[in-house]
Amino acid sequence: MSDNIPFEIQELIINKLPVEPLIRFRTVCKAWKSLIDSSDFIRNHIKQQNQQHLLVRYHDPLHRELKYVSIPDNDTATFPHHKVLVTIPQLVVDMDKHYTIIDSSHGLLCLFGIDNKAVIWNPSIRKAVDVVLPRVVGDGIHVNVLGFGVCPETIDPKIIKIRINTKDVIPWQVEVFTLSMRVWRSAYSSNVPSKCFWFGGEQVVVGGVVYFLVSDRVDGRDGCGNLIVSFDLTSEEFGEVKLPDSLTYARNLSVLKLRESLVVIEAGLEELGPEEVGRGYYKRVYHIWRMEDGVSKLFEKLFSIDYSPDGSDVDIRDFRKTGEALLGWLAPPDFNRTLAAYEPYSKAITNLGINGSYISVYSFTETLLLLSSTSL
C-alpha cells in the first residue's frame, strides 16, 4: 500500500479484510505486523466481521480418520460447495480423539480432554493453546461442569469450572480462567448458587452469556423439572431462566443458538398419520422454541421439524444463519450419517455432501484471537 496514504486510512482499509490476507500482510512490514497483532485492532476487527462459517467435525469412513471441514455460511448459490479442509493443530491431535467440544464463541472452540486439559482453538488462524484444568475428575460426592465463552467487553476467552456438592446444599465452588492472565481465580460475583442441579453437558453462548440446560427436583411433582442456568461472562453473575410449563416437564430437551437467540429444542414422538393411528408407528418430531429478549418463561414456538427420510432417525446438529436446520440421519446403503440443511417452511433439503459418523457442527466467525498467544 502506498506510503502516500496516511497510516490511519491504511488501518481503516486493513480492518475490513478477512483473516487470511491479514495473516499474510503481517510479513509486509513491521508497522503492519505491529498493527495487526495489537489488541485494539483485534477487538475492532471482530466487530467488522459478519461472515459466518460452519465447522463440521466427522469421522471419514473411507480414509478412517477424523476430519474438520469449514463451509462459508453464505446465502448464495455456492453453498455448500466451497468446502475447505481445516488443519488440525498438534495440541488437538495429541488429545488422541478422546475429547469433547464444549462450545464455540467469537471464532474460538474449547475442547476438553481426558487428561485434565482443555484446548482453546482458533481454526481461522490454525492456532491453539492448552490449559491445565484443576480437579476435574469427580470423586463420588462432587460433580464438575465446564463452560466456555469470550467476554464481549474485554474479548478475553474464559473457561468456567463449577464444582457442585451432590450430598449437601452448599454454595458451588466456581473458578474462572482468563487467557490474558493465565491463572485460575474465584468468580467476581459472590452470588453463587447452592442448588444441586443436574447439568446435561450442553451450553450455548448468546450475547455474552453462557446458558446451561439443567434439571432440578420439583416439589410436589414426580421427576425433575427443566430450567436454564445463565452465567454472565462480564459480571460473572449466575441467573436462572424459567421455562414454560410445557417445557419444564418435558423429557427430551436440548439447547442451540439460532442466529443470535437461544433456542430450546423439544424432541418427541408422534404417530405417522391418521391411517397409522393405533398401529404403533411413530416418527420423531422436533419443536423449536426461541427465548424472547432473555425474559424468563417468554418463549415463542417458531416451527416444528418432522422430516424423516426412509424412516431414518433424524437429529438437529445446528442452525444456519438463514434459519435452516442442519440435520443428520443414517442414510442407506452403508448407513453412515449424512448432513443436510432443512428449510422448515418450504421443507426444502440441501445435501451438504458430508457423510460419516460422529458428525458435529459449530458455527463461527473469523477472528484473530490467539494470534499473539503462546501455548500454556
Side-chain angles (χ1 to χ4, degrees):
M1 195 174 291
S2 172
D3 290 338
N4 296 327
I5 302 176
F7 192 76
E8 293 77 10
I9 303 300
Q10 296 182 31
E11 180 178 355
L12 291 175
I13 297 172
I14 294 173
N15 196 40
K16 298 182 182 298
L17 297 176
V19 165
E20 186 176 352
L22 290 179
I23 298 300
R24 297 198 306 269
F25 290 171
R26 294 169 71 239
T27 63
V28 171
C29 63
K30 290 183 178 179
W32 280 14
K33 183 180 187 304
S34 178
L35 170 67
I36 295 170
D37 288 358
S38 68
S39 58
D40 286 342
F41 181 87
I42 292 173
R43 183 181 295 107
N44 291 330
H45 183 260
I46 289 175
K47 300 175 183 178
Q48 299 291 331
Q49 301 304 302
N50 56 13
Q51 173 61 66
Q52 181 171 296
H53 295 256
L54 303 175
L55 185 69
V56 182
R57 172 185 181 265
Y58 70 104
H59 187 271
D60 184 344
L62 181 62
H63 300 93
R64 297 185 178 182
E65 62 180 349
L66 189 66
K67 289 185 176 180
Y68 284 87
V69 174
S70 176
I71 307 174
D73 188 13
N74 48 44
D75 52 6
T76 67
T78 61
F79 180 87
H81 305 297
H82 184 58
K83 302 184 185 73
V84 178
L85 192 64
V86 176
T87 301
I88 305 176
Q90 191 61 43
L91 282 175
V92 176
V93 174
D94 290 344
M95 298 182 92
D96 195 30
K97 302 178 185 177
H98 299 292
Y99 58 82
T100 300
I101 297 180
I102 302 173
D103 199 7
S104 62
S105 176
H106 281 69
L108 302 182
L109 275 77
C110 185
L111 300 79
F112 165 54
I114 59 175
D115 55 354
N116 282 354
K117 281 189 177 180
V119 170
I120 302 174
W121 172 27
N122 184 339
S124 299
I125 62 173
R126 300 181 292 278
K127 192 165 185 179
V129 296
D130 59 346
V131 180
V132 176
L133 301 170
R135 296 182 301 166
V136 174
V137 178
D139 56 10
I141 298 177
H142 299 86
V143 295
N144 297 287
V145 179
L146 292 176
F148 170 74
V150 176
C151 175
E153 297 296 325
T154 63
I155 314 299
D156 198 1
K158 292 184 177 182
I159 299 177
I160 307 101
K161 189 179 83 70
I162 305 169
R163 186 173 175 85
I164 302 173
N165 189 310
T166 61
K167 303 296 184 182
D168 199 0
V169 181
I170 61 175
W172 300 348
Q173 298 175 31
V174 181
E175 296 176 85
V176 178
F177 175 90
T178 54
L179 189 59
S180 61
M181 300 301 293
R182 303 193 176 191
V183 294
W184 289 90
R185 56 166 174 78
S186 298
Y188 292 143
S189 173
S190 58
N191 176 28
V192 179
S194 58
K195 296 181 180 179
C196 185
F197 291 136
W198 182 82
F199 284 73
E202 294 183 337
Q203 71 145 74
V204 173
V205 182
V206 179
V209 178
V210 183
Y211 294 98
F212 301 93
L213 180 64
V214 305
S215 296
D216 182 26
R217 178 69 63 181
V218 179
D219 293 336
R221 185 154 184 165
D222 293 336
C224 293
N226 305 305
L227 70 153
I228 293 171
V229 169
S230 64
F231 180 82
D232 190 296
L233 288 162
T234 300
S235 67
E236 300 184 1
E237 291 267 359
F238 284 94
E240 292 184 13
V241 178
K242 303 295 184 182
L243 298 175
D245 287 346
S246 61
L247 297 178
T248 298
Y249 305 109
R251 291 191 175 183
N252 297 305
L253 297 184
S254 57
V255 290
L256 284 173
K257 182 167 70 172
L258 173 54
R259 297 189 177 96
E260 288 305 314
S261 296
L262 170 72
V263 292
V264 176
I265 302 170
E266 178 189 10
L269 295 175
E270 294 182 3
E271 290 190 292
L272 289 175
E275 68 279 3
E276 305 292 350
V277 172
R279 299 182 60 183
Y281 296 113
Y282 294 87
K283 61 181 177 181
R284 185 172 295 278
V285 177
Y286 295 96
H287 305 292
I288 314 302
W289 299 78
R290 181 178 63 191
M291 182 173 69
E292 296 290 321
D293 300 323
V295 179
S296 290
K297 285 202 171 185
L298 189 54
F299 281 76
E300 174 192 11
K301 185 177 178 180
L302 296 179
F303 51 81
S304 298
I305 297 174
D306 60 359
Y307 182 73
S308 181
D310 301 318
S312 297
D313 210 12
V314 174
D315 50 35
I316 301 176
R317 299 297 180 174
D318 206 343
F319 290 94
R320 293 189 60 202
K321 70 176 183 179
T322 60
E324 293 173 282
L326 296 170
L327 307 181
W329 68 85
L330 295 176
D334 52 8
F335 290 97
N336 280 306
R337 285 201 172 271
T338 190
L339 187 65
Y342 175 81
E343 209 295 314
Y345 301 104
S346 69
K347 301 186 184 300
I349 283 284
T350 303
N351 196 309
L352 272 63
I354 293 175
N355 298 280
S357 54
Y358 308 108
I359 296 177
S360 301
V361 185
Y362 303 90
S363 301
F364 74 98
T365 52
E366 292 185 347
T367 176
L368 293 167
L369 289 173
L370 302 190
L371 186 62
S372 59
S373 298
T374 57
S375 180
L376 304 182

